Amino acid sequence: MLRQRVATALVLVSALLSAIFLLPQNAWLLFVGVLVVVATTEWSGLIGLLGVARLIYCAVTAGFFLAACLAGGLA
């Protein structure tokens, strides 16, 4: 079990480092945006949101991420 977790962590860390150093800025923002939406989906499940409330929560979070990118001049 521990061996599988360590192997998964190594793969994910190498993917993250590759993305940080090799992706152009717009692709990096897309990558981080996808991570934000996936994390928001997981979090909404942990706090007990279901159905439409979960979708609205994810959409609002994605909107805040987009607004932060635009406000920071990143997009």
Side-chain angles (χ1 to χ4, degrees):
M1 183 71 153
L2 180 61
R3 175 176 277 166
Q4 185 180 15
R5 288 184 183 201
V6 169
T8 302
L10 289 174
V11 168
L12 292 176
V13 165
S14 65
L16 179 65
L17 289 175
S18 297
I20 288 172
F21 292 111
L22 298 176
L23 286 178
Q25 184 176 8
N26 289 337
W28 170 249
L29 288 175
L30 180 64
F31 178 73
V32 172
V34 169
L35 289 179
V36 166
V37 170
V38 169
T40 302
T41 304
E42 290 292 322
W43 181 252
S44 64
L46 287 172
I47 62 175
L49 295 178
L50 299 172
V52 175
R54 192 173 193 171
L55 291 174
I56 291 172
Y57 183 70
C58 291
V60 168
T61 304
F64 280 138
F65 177 75
L66 179 62
C69 288
L70 292 174
L74 298 175

